[in-house]
Amino acid sequence: MQPLAGVLVVAVEQAVAAPLCTRHLGDLGARVVKVENRRGGDFARDYDDVVHGMAAHFVWANRNKESLALDLKRPEGGEILARLLERADVLVQNLAPGAAARLGLDPAVLRERHPRLITVDISGYGRGGPYALARAYDLLVQSEAGSCSITGTPEDPAKPGIPIADIGAGMYALTSVLTALYARERTGEGTSVSVGLFDAVAEWMGFALNQARYGGFDVKPNGLSSPMVSPYGAYPTADGQTLVLGTTNDREWQRLAARVLGRPDLAEDPRYATNSDRVARRAELDEVITAWAATVPLAGARKLAEEAGLGHARLNTPSEVVAHPQLSERNRWREVDSPEGPVTVLLPPPECDDWDWRLDAVPALGEHSEPILRELGYAPDELERLRAEGVIGTPRS
């Protein structure tokens, strides 16, 4: 039995934040009906075509869903969505600012009609405020919320490679849905939740904001290192690979110096006694470690670090992660179906012995339009008319 079996989620969604939230709800067993624009659908379908002709982002965030292709600007399209919401437990939407209200998806109105409904609105900047109606893409929000300014180097700030604003908002939306479902079991009432991408990144900037507010300084980005501890960074090895190595406390530093670098003099040097001392002399220590790493192959360096009880890693590319033994040997890769045949996906991160994850197909645009409408009581002649008039879309339209 999957934990959310029997829960119906309606997702009026696009891009990453909402689709990732609802995909995880589907992984947990919820039935997810993805409502898409009849003309083209979720625009993330067209980001690229690398997965057997499908987009990498779309395949990642949209398994376990049924695609209902509607023209929501047509009255009959809105009526179909209204019928669906009569049965729904959860509505998740991340439309452009103002679009949900124009389509009749105002949370207050929906909750008045459906007291048990849980509504989740994902937006760029949350409720109210001067930015409430601003368009918000991942890069824009990360820039506005400060994460780009502490990533990269002082000369070359950078956006983190993964879309942390989208992912963060999607995960907060997911936990909000789970919390609201739990609360509804006790109260019988649904609730309305709003999640802003900006607020998710601002929350994750917590330590840097504390340093700015109370320390009076802005964290400076320093590439593959940490602004908080030293030594901590990436060091090229003798065989052309990159060792990522670091310390988080004084005892680890002493073991690194004496047992890995072979420099007990550094371990005893009062100039490097505390983390604050080492951060102030980061460049000196990085020079020493860089010179040492250039004489040692990666495997030998990692062996020394392991024997000294220090954390260490290899700087891997995505292609190398695909082949990573920590994934393959734990059976983390699985296959799901798609309109273009089986595709390989990762299991969700949580591991639990008491349920299996749901791993159903990635849908074609409009693949489930007619079955869903039949379920809602539409007769065959009505389906034909709605399809002919462009209210609904199906794979053959």
Side-chain angles (χ1 to χ4, degrees), residues 36-292:
E36 301 187 70
N37 187 331
R38 191 184 69 81
R39 297 176 179 83
D42 181 342
F43 56 72
R45 286 182 177 272
D46 299 318
Y47 278 173
D48 58 38
D49 59 1
V50 301
V51 186
H52 308 320
M54 300 175 293
H57 281 76
F58 190 85
V59 169
W60 166 44
N62 287 283
R63 65 176 179 250
N64 297 325
K65 299 182 184 180
E66 302 169 40
S67 174
L68 169 59
L70 290 179
D71 184 346
L72 289 176
K73 295 181 180 179
R74 301 274 292 275
E76 287 182 295
E79 170 59 27
I80 291 168
L81 180 57
R83 284 203 202 183
L84 187 59
L85 289 173
E86 290 175 1
R87 304 177 176 211
D89 296 286
V90 180
L91 167 67
V92 178
Q93 69 86 16
N94 68 333
L95 300 177
R102 290 194 298 272
L103 294 173
L105 300 179
D106 180 84
V109 174
L110 290 175
R111 290 282 318 291
E112 183 70 24
R113 294 175 185 164
H114 313 295
R116 288 178 55 82
L117 182 66
I118 295 161
T119 69
V120 180
D121 296 341
I122 301 176
S123 63
Y125 291 92
R127 295 173 177 167
Y131 284 68
L133 298 181
R135 283 192 172 271
Y137 307 126
D138 184 85
L139 171 61
L140 307 182
V141 170
Q142 288 205 51
S143 297
E144 199 72 43
S147 58
C148 293
S149 74
I150 65 171
T151 307
T153 66
E155 299 77 24
D156 191 16
K159 185 184 89 67
I162 61 175
I164 65 169
D166 286 322
I167 294 171
M171 293 299 95
Y172 282 115
L174 170 66
T175 57
S176 296
V177 170
L178 298 177
T179 302
L181 286 169
Y182 177 73
R184 194 179 71 174
E185 287 296 306
R186 294 182 295 167
T187 67
E189 295 289 323
T191 193
S192 297
V193 177
S194 174
V195 179
L197 276 69
F198 180 83
D199 295 326
V201 179
E203 163 64 21
W204 289 1
M205 288 282 290
F207 79 92
L209 300 184
N210 279 343
Q211 289 172 327
R213 180 184 295 274
Y214 299 106
F217 64 91
D218 292 324
V219 176
K220 301 300 182 186
N222 55 358
L224 281 171
S225 186
S226 166
M228 304 304 301
V229 293
S230 178
Y232 198 106
Y235 308 96
T237 56
D239 52 352
Q241 301 189 64
T242 300
L243 170 72
V244 181
L245 181 68
T247 61
T248 58
N249 57 58
D250 297 341
R251 294 183 303 279
E252 288 187 351
W253 155 245
Q254 291 160 5
R255 295 201 302 273
L256 172 64
R259 297 171 57 181
V260 177
L261 303 179
R263 295 287 304 273
D265 58 307
L266 294 179
E268 299 168 1
D269 193 323
R271 293 176 301 169
Y272 310 122
T274 70
N275 182 62
S276 295
D277 295 331
R278 295 190 294 275
V279 168
R281 295 175 171 80
R282 182 191 304 276
E284 299 171 17
L285 295 178
D286 280 346
E287 184 176 347
V288 171
I289 299 171
T290 297
W292 164 80

Side-chain angles (χ1 to χ4, degrees), residues 7-28:
V7 172
L8 173 58
V9 177
V10 176
V12 186
E13 60 179 20
Q14 55 198 2
V16 175
L20 191 60
C21 165
T22 58
R23 194 217 82 190
H24 281 289
L25 293 171
D27 290 340
L28 288 164

